[in-house]
Amino acid sequence: MAASIIDVARRAEVSTATVSRALRGLPNVSEATRERVLRAAEELSYAVSPHASSLASGRTGTVGVILPFVNRWFYSQVVAGIDSVLRANDLDILLYNLGDERVHERFFARMPPRRRVDALIVLNLPLSATESESLVSLEVPIAVLGTRIPGCWHVSIDNAEGTSTAVRHLINLGHRRIGMISGALGDPRGFTTPIVRQHAYRTVLAQAGIPYDPDLEAPGNLTIDEGASAMAQLLSLPDPPTAVFAESDQMAFGALRTMGRMGLRAPDDVSVIGFDNHETAELLDLTTIAQPVAYQGELLAQQILDALSGSSEEPAQVVVPTRLVVRGTTGAARVARPRHPSSPRPGPEPDQHSRTTAR
Amino acid sequence: MAASIIDVARRAEVSTATVSRALRGLPNVSEATRERVLRAAEELSYAVSPHASSLASGRTGTVGVILPFVNRWFYSQVVAGIDSVLRANDLDILLYNLGDERVHERFFARMPPRRRVDALIVLNLPLSATESESLVSLEVPIAVLGTRIPGCWHVSIDNAEGTSTAVRHLINLGHRRIGMISGALGDPRGFTTPIVRQHAYRTVLAQAGIPYDPDLEAPGNLTIDEGASAMAQLLSLPDPPTAVFAESDQMAFGALRTMGRMGLRAPDDVSVIGFDNHETAELLDLTTIAQPVAYQGELLAQQILDALSGSSEEPAQVVVPTRLVVRGTTGAARVARPRHPSSPRPGPEPDQHSRTTAR
DNA sequence: TCCTTTCATGTAAACGATTGCATTACCTCC
DNA sequence: GGAGGTAATGCAATCGTTTACATGAAAGGA
């Protein structure tokens, strides 16, 4: 049986109250006593019971991280970022992986983190109003990535800006027929990121005076395979795009695969730009919009620490910048296209040629 | 203030003991009473306090998962597998990400999961004898992936077998000069997997009568970049390999990148085979040794469930099979090599031509 | 009818800390 | 020398369950 605080108290010849204070480094304990307690604890190899401690104090030393897919590159990176700063502050991570819809529902029906966590971090999950309220009703600080929950801390990238940059990059290269492979639009829960990006895509095209063509939007589901089929769909159009914006690198990889299998090359036949700057993007020489992934996790964790220490008054909100990374899969549109010799108008000034362009 | 079990007891006009029993579905509670309790709990939107419950019962409803790198593909997949089965049984996951050595040490110095978890799952972490004992002394069931801890449950692939298959595949294609890019040998903690694989590689070569050449072993560190440099190192040898076995797909990707930059192609110039069947392997048409990743996680979780239910007596140990997936980066050795026209002896019977060969 | 069982429920003692509120002892300063 | 302040410590209530044991009622058996 493990030693309890009473054993330590007895051995150090003080009360349990003093042991508790000494062990936690609280003031009003004489140096001599503190040492005696420390020694006693050491000798008994005593460790506080986290549950007893939580029960008595109300603190748990634990932060819940709620996300859709731990096994996707993006989320695992963010979790690593979160972990690095939380761990440094002796906070444990309780993981809730809600990708599966059943699991998602069950989670909100039972609310397992209730009274189990000091704070919550929510990654990119689309939540109904009721669900958001459930979380808020837990009355712990919440930091949210990507989405928005009233009264919570926020970290996100500027999706509209990132998308605009990507699409403008293509326009600047002279492309007029620009496809988009978008993600997760099918999920009934309604992830917001894809919606924002789709909207930005349409807006930029409109601003450039390019007519809207619904055929140029193909749904992927953020996976390589679905990106591949989406690309196949786009390329089978009577008037296929000369450039494609995939809203995740993974889908761009799929798109490149499809092209490869059809004997097409980027950027000669079709330009492709992704989003994320996935570690494999460099490998495949994919032009993309980079976002600092782990860093966003660190920010979220830092917000939680701030909230927990009560040092800051109001929930803050930070938007981290994205940047265009120009690599080899995007290039100038061919001036004269075989099928449509009618639209050879040159695009605006071309992009700089530096391989990596800060936005 | 949230409702406590006392409130529920009052409202249902029973004792707290009965409430506890009714809520947990224990026997010896009349149907009428149970319903009354359930209703009362519902009306007060009561939820048990996990800490109080843990303190009183000793159970925590939580499993600790200890791993080196959440943000690496392999581990995040395994975690997803673990999560899927644990979640289904209402067990929470406490994540311990010990990649950083400092974090690792601190972890074993403080043992945060002590009394916080009902069981532990350890992924591939190299542990000193003392560290293993620390874990064992927690007196909870432990399931281990990859490594071995006496008295614990085990899941692993047969690394020696997988490696042998890979190297034999190359030998069967007629290669004699076969390099290996190995991982994490530099880590002072001594991950065992790389050691086993390196040994198997040497053994197979010896069995085939191929003399040992230390220059053909280059250290990567399981990352793309280090795989790339390792390949650069191998290719700069006076007598470079005609085939390379990289012990992770990631490093194989790096190797391919290096080749690409040097204007070399696989398998024409050098054959490359990886290990894992990473999702990107198909994309890059990489021949590899596939292992079922998420599945191993599920197995680990299942072992924990078995242990927890006490249904099984002895810790079990399961070895899951790997299989050779032949894709486009491996091919027959050129019979006459420019530099060494002296070794044109044809290899043994070539591999089958099916793209995916069960082992 | 009386004695066992069996079932439903209640009582109260853990579980192992934290913390508000004394209490004590020792200074310091008129 | 007494009033008042401060630092160190102890007392005991509290956190919210679970569970061994006791109790009582109803049912079954001889």
Side-chain angles (χ1 to χ4, degrees), chain A residues 279-302:
Chain A
E279 54 183 353
T280 315
E282 190 196 352
L283 193 63
L284 296 177
D285 206 25
L286 175 70
T287 295
T288 192
I289 301 294
Q291 61 170 321
V293 186
Y295 178 60
Q296 294 180 65
E298 294 167 18
L299 284 178
L300 289 163
Q302 196 53 58

Side-chain angles (χ1 to χ4, degrees), chain A residues 280-328:
Chain A
T280 315
E282 190 196 352
L283 193 63
L284 296 177
D285 206 25
L286 175 70
T287 295
T288 192
I289 301 294
Q291 61 170 321
V293 186
Y295 178 60
Q296 294 180 65
E298 294 167 18
L299 284 178
L300 289 163
Q302 196 53 58
Q303 292 188 330
I304 289 302
L305 292 180
D306 290 353
L308 249 28
S309 72
S311 64
S312 74
E313 333 66 35
E314 283 300 283
Q317 164 166 347
V318 8
V319 174
V320 309
T322 56
R323 82 178 200 284
L324 174 64
V325 177
V326 180
R327 294 205 184 92

Side-chain angles (χ1 to χ4, degrees), chain B residues 5 17 20 24 46 56 59:
Chain B
I5 198 174
S20 178
R24 285 181 302 148
Y46 164 78
R59 294 173 237 109

Side-chain angles (χ1 to χ4, degrees), chain B residues 15 32-33 54 74 158 169 220 228 252 254 282 322 344 354:
Chain B
S15 70
T33 310
S54 300
F74 178 84
D158 189 332
H169 170 66
E282 190 196 352
T322 55
S354 63

